[in-house]
Amino acid sequence: MKQLGCRFCGAQLEHVLVDLGMSPLANSFRREDELLDMEPTWPLRVYVCQRCFLVQLPEFASPEHIFSDYAYFSGYSDTWLRHVEAYAGQMCERLELDEASLVIEVASNDGCLLRFFQKRGVPVLGIEPASNVAAAAVADGVPTRVEFFGSACASGLAEEGRTADLLLGNNVLAHVPDLNDFVAGLGIVLGPQGVLTLEFPHLARLIEENQFDTIYHEHFSYLSLGTVKQVLEAQGLRVFDVQELPTHGGSLRVFACHSASGHPAAESVAALEAAEAAAGLDSLDGYRGFGERVAETKRKLLAELVAIRDRGETIVAYGAAAKGNTLLNYCGIGVDFIDYAVDRNPEKQGRFLPGSVIPVRSPEAVLETRPDWLFILPWNLVDEITEQMAVIREWGGRFLTAIPEPRVHL
């Protein structure tokens, strides 16, 4: 068997956190003319490093294969738009950003976050590897470079004199297989007194709340504050503040700067480190038993879906989200349970979910077919979706989520 090394510290990986079997890429939506073609799949086997406790998925599919053409557009979530608008306002005030500042976002997607800085007169630059998504940002007036970020990209920007007063990466740190090169690039393009913020789903919440569906091939790493501190410190960056956020089922926002920078350390950092230690994240014991809890959730969900279908009731999935595709493929759920899925993103409509081959339609289809159940796959947006789709209650429809365990929402 091939020996795997930790992508941060190089230690041999021996301890499996959870094995979700074989799965296609979570955002590889298929066209009808592709359905007879063989669909590639790769293992979803997650390891925890016994030396640095970085939880990670080996690189079975390259970033170029995953991200060069991408189906995820962040601007379609109202919840996310409210989140990034509030962030832009807070950072402009905290760092006193103005027309002489520069905000650089790594993995800027469709530019929805940077637009809120532009509205305040702050110059921005996005770095985005997916050309189709970057094109949407450029069309909306957000300067965007189509490039994978790393030390080479950062060095080019620095040579142009473009260093960031605020450098940010939302939900990108988990997406890079070469952590050390990526973080080295962050240090290169961050101005001498600049601030770096990174947001990522918190590993503690993933384990505590059974969020196994956030595991897919795009997510190479699953991060705690402790491991992120180690990764940043190895490249001369210092964490001086951290915030706990509700996004994506529970995330962290880490604030960092150059080690020699004068940003004072907040008490929040030591407090969260202590909480992670209490949860066992600095010992292999804290990771044991997760795989069995995942298997138990699978059994409960399948029992619920079988009971619904045995009663002759219909189910439609809401949200063609990557996390939903992990859930469906791990549980073996296809059109035998779910008639179709709906999504607001027109890039996904008319295609089929990877693996499960469930067709994707627009949300208006729900009004036409009047399903008995709406199975919400992006459970982290349950409040937003139940409000948007409240109309199903008119015919007695109900909502269902699966994480942390199957739950009915009336």
Side-chain angles (χ1 to χ4, degrees):
M1 181 177 176
K2 179 181 178 182
Q3 297 299 311
L4 301 171
C6 173
R7 65 172 36 91
F8 169 55
C9 73
Q12 183 174 313
L13 296 177
E14 301 174 346
H15 302 276
V16 176
L17 175 70
V18 66
D19 190 340
L20 300 179
M22 302 293 290
S23 184
L25 297 181
N27 275 304
S28 59
F29 293 84
R30 310 188 81 193
R31 300 188 307 270
E32 188 169 8
D33 62 0
E34 297 175 318
L35 295 183
L36 296 181
D37 298 335
M38 184 181 71
E39 186 173 24
T41 61
W42 291 271
L44 271 181
R45 185 179 301 115
V46 181
Y47 295 83
V48 56
C49 176
Q50 72 274 14
R51 181 189 296 171
C52 68
F53 300 104
L54 175 64
V55 174
Q56 56 203 283
L57 184 70
E59 183 185 347
F60 295 108
S62 71
E64 289 78 11
H65 185 66
I66 297 172
F67 298 114
S68 293
D69 187 77
Y70 200 41
Y72 176 71
F73 285 67
S74 54
Y76 284 107
S77 168
D78 295 336
T79 299
W80 183 251
L81 289 175
R82 289 192 295 268
H83 172 73
V84 297
E85 182 177 17
Y87 166 82
Q90 293 163 12
M91 297 310 293
C92 283
E93 181 176 349
R94 179 170 179 168
L95 302 182
E96 299 181 345
L97 301 174
D98 57 24
E99 65 278 357
S101 307
L102 178 61
V103 175
I104 298 178
E105 182 179 10
V106 178
S108 52
N109 200 262
D110 59 8
C112 67
L113 184 155
L114 291 178
R115 285 196 294 272
F116 291 114
F117 284 101
Q118 286 181 310
K119 289 179 180 179
R120 292 168 172 81
V122 180
V124 302
L125 176 65
I127 311 294
E128 170 56 49
S131 57
N132 64 315
V133 183
V138 172
D140 208 23
V142 179
T144 305
R145 294 193 180 191
V146 181
E147 192 170 354
F148 280 94
F149 184 81
S151 59
C153 173
S155 295
L157 290 170
E159 288 172 5
E160 298 172 14
R162 309 192 79 176
T163 56
D165 299 287
L166 171 62
L167 177 63
L168 67 114
N170 284 344
N171 303 305
V172 61
L173 193 60
H175 290 69
V176 291
D178 192 343
L179 269 180
N180 294 320
D181 180 75
F182 182 87
V183 176
L186 296 177
I188 291 169
V189 81
L190 182 66
Q193 296 301 318
V195 169
L196 165 69
T197 71
L198 296 168
E199 292 185 24
F200 48 86
H202 192 193
L203 174 64
R205 296 289 293 275
L206 184 154
I207 293 175
E208 179 184 350
E209 299 179 15
N210 203 30
Q211 298 172 2
F212 67 90
D213 58 341
T214 62
I215 296 168
Y216 40 92
H217 296 103
E218 294 170 19
H219 286 171
F220 295 104
S221 302
Y222 304 84
L223 302 164
S224 64
L225 174 63
T227 55
V228 168
K229 275 192 67 181
Q230 292 180 66
V231 173
L232 292 175
E233 287 171 355
Q235 301 298 334
L237 298 169
R238 174 175 58 88
V239 173
F240 66 88
D241 197 2
V242 63
Q243 297 172 346
E244 296 184 79
L245 307 170
T247 51
H248 297 287
S251 296
L252 298 183
R253 177 185 291 152
V254 165
F255 293 74
C257 60
H258 290 289
S259 296
S261 180
H263 295 283
E267 295 180 359
S268 57
V269 179
L272 187 54
E273 284 186 292
E276 288 187 346
L281 296 188
D282 58 355
S283 164
L284 287 176
D285 290 340
Y287 302 89
R288 304 187 196 282
F290 180 68
E292 176 51 36
R293 295 198 301 275
V294 169
E296 183 181 2
T297 297
K298 174 180 178 176
R299 294 190 293 267
K300 288 180 178 179
L301 176 60
L302 287 173
E304 183 72 37
L305 295 179
V306 167
I308 290 172
R309 295 298 278 176
D310 281 350
R311 295 195 298 267
E313 297 169 357
T314 55
I315 309 170
V316 166
Y318 188 102
K323 57 165 46 80
N325 289 326
T326 290
L327 176 75
L328 296 174
N329 283 297
Y330 170 63
C331 295
I333 297 167
V335 292
D336 48 347
F337 286 107
I338 295 174
D339 295 341
Y340 60 90
V342 299
D343 198 278
R344 295 173 65 187
N345 184 351
E347 292 271 331
K348 299 179 181 180
Q349 295 167 11
R351 296 199 176 194
F352 296 80
L353 298 184
S356 64
V357 200
I358 296 170
V360 183
R361 302 174 63 180
S362 72
E364 287 72 23
V366 171
L367 296 175
E368 301 169 10
T369 64
R370 297 165 68 93
D372 299 297
W373 293 86
L374 205 59
F375 183 13
I376 299 175
L377 299 179
W379 46 264
N380 53 302
L381 301 177
V382 63
D383 292 337
E384 175 183 330
I385 294 168
T386 53
E387 181 180 349
Q388 288 176 358
M389 303 302 296
V391 65
I392 75 166
R393 296 189 178 103
E394 294 181 3
W395 58 80
R398 288 175 283 180
F399 299 95
L400 176 68
T401 54
I403 304 296
E405 61 181 11
R407 178 186 171 194
V408 175
H409 306 259
L410 300 177

